[in-house]
Amino acid sequence: ADGLAATVSGTAGVVLVDGGRWRGEAAELLVDGGLSSLSAVISSHTDEDHLGGLERVLRQLRVEQLLLPAWMRSERGAVGLLRSARSRRTRVRRVGRGSALQAGGLVIEVLWPPTTAQRSPENERSLVARSKLSTGRVLITSDISRMTEARLSRMGGLRSEVLLAPHHGSRDSSSPCLIEATKPQLVLIPAGSHNVHGHPHPEVLERLDARGIPYRYPARDGRCGARPEDGKWVLYP
C-alpha cells in the first residue's frame, strides 16, 4: 500500500521518518532489526499512511525526541501520537522552516513548512527536511506536490545526494524543477505493493530515466534503500 516509513542512520543513532499505515508494522520491523531506541522520530503530517504506525513505535521503543510541524500540535489526528509521547516522556519539538537540530549524529534541517503555515491543503504543509551526514544529504519530501516543489526550488539550497520522492511518486510530484534543484544521485520512491493509486506514476519514472537517475521502490524491489560506499551513494537491493 501507499505509505512512508524510512530510517536514516547517523554515526550515533537512527532517525525514523513517519511510520507507514499499519499500526504494528514499523515497530515490528525496527525491533526485528535489532533496534530498541531511536534518536528521533519525524512525523510529517496526519495522513494515516504516514502516521498510522507511529504510536506503536513510541510505545515499544525508547524515542529521544518527536519532531513535527508546528501546525500539527493542535490537530485532532495527532492527539494519540502526542499522548503516546507524553506517556513515554519523549521530548516533543515543534519545528518549521529554518529549524535545525541534531539527532543520532545527523544534522536535520527543516525546509518546509513555515512555522506560521496557513490553512493550505495538508499535503502542502507536510514537513520537508534534509538530513546531513558526513557522506552526503538526504532530502525528505513527504506529500508535497509540484506547487510546493516550485516554491522550494525558487528558494534554493535543495542539493542532496539522495531524494526521497514526494507523494509516493504521484503524477503531480517529482517535477522537473525539483529534480533540477536537488540534482540527486539516486531516488527512493515510497510506493508499496497493491497501492490503489498505481504509484509510482510512469511519467515520474520517465523523468528519472531521461536524466539517468537510478531509483528503487518497494512495489517492485521490496525493502530497499541507499547507503554510502567508496565515496558515493549506491542503491540496494
Side-chain angles (χ1 to χ4, degrees):
D2 280 338
L4 170 60
T7 57
V8 185
S9 298
T11 56
V14 175
V15 173
L16 173 68
V17 181
D18 287 334
R21 181 181 299 276
W22 311 118
R23 295 198 177 276
E25 188 173 26
E28 180 180 327
L29 289 171
L30 291 167
V31 171
D32 286 350
L35 289 172
S36 59
S37 65
L38 295 167
S39 297
V41 164
I42 296 174
S43 180
S44 66
H45 61 309
T46 66
D47 280 3
E48 190 66 16
D49 59 333
H50 292 251
L51 185 67
L54 286 185
E55 285 187 46
R56 189 73 60 84
V57 168
L58 287 176
R59 292 184 180 277
Q60 288 192 219
L61 287 84
R62 183 174 63 83
V63 178
E64 294 178 19
Q65 51 188 330
L66 169 66
L67 316 179
L68 70 169
W71 61 264
M72 191 170 154
R73 186 76 179 264
S74 60
E75 292 292 313
R76 180 178 298 178
V79 169
L81 180 67
L82 294 170
R83 185 179 294 130
S84 295
R86 186 164 54 250
S87 70
R88 296 282 286 173
R89 298 183 179 180
T90 297
R91 181 183 182 185
V92 178
R93 303 186 67 168
R94 294 180 292 174
V95 298
R97 179 171 172 81
S99 299
L101 49 103
Q102 294 188 351
L106 303 167
V107 176
I108 300 174
E109 303 173 318
V110 179
L111 307 180
W112 191 262
T115 304
T116 55
Q118 297 179 346
R119 301 296 297 180
S120 56
E122 184 167 323
N123 281 353
E124 306 307 334
R125 290 181 284 138
S126 59
L127 191 142
V128 176
R130 182 167 55 183
S131 297
K132 298 178 69 175
L133 303 83
S134 61
T135 51
R137 297 153 294 189
V138 179
L139 185 64
I140 301 154
T141 54
S142 307
D143 271 358
I144 62 171
S145 72
R146 63 174 62 235
M147 177 178 70
T148 301
E149 291 175 12
R151 294 184 67 176
L152 285 169
S153 297
R154 289 193 296 269
M155 293 175 184
L158 294 183
R159 288 288 295 270
S160 301
E161 284 72 19
V162 180
L163 171 63
L164 194 59
H167 205 193
H168 316 288
S170 70
R171 186 179 189 179
D172 192 38
S173 67
S174 300
S175 57
C177 70
L178 179 69
I179 296 171
E180 179 59 29
T182 308
K183 290 184 168 57
Q185 293 179 9
L186 45 86
V187 174
L188 298 171
I189 307 171
S193 301
H194 311 300
N195 71 79
V196 298
H197 302 289
H199 294 153
H201 196 277
E203 289 185 14
V204 171
L205 303 183
E206 289 168 8
R207 282 198 285 273
L208 298 176
D209 286 335
R211 291 166 174 79
I213 302 171
Y215 52 82
R216 294 284 190 276
Y217 55 94
R220 185 191 67 183
D221 303 302
R223 291 181 65 184
C224 53
R227 57 176 172 247
E229 191 173 289
D230 297 329
K232 65 178 182 179
W233 285 79
V234 296
L235 291 163
Y236 66 85

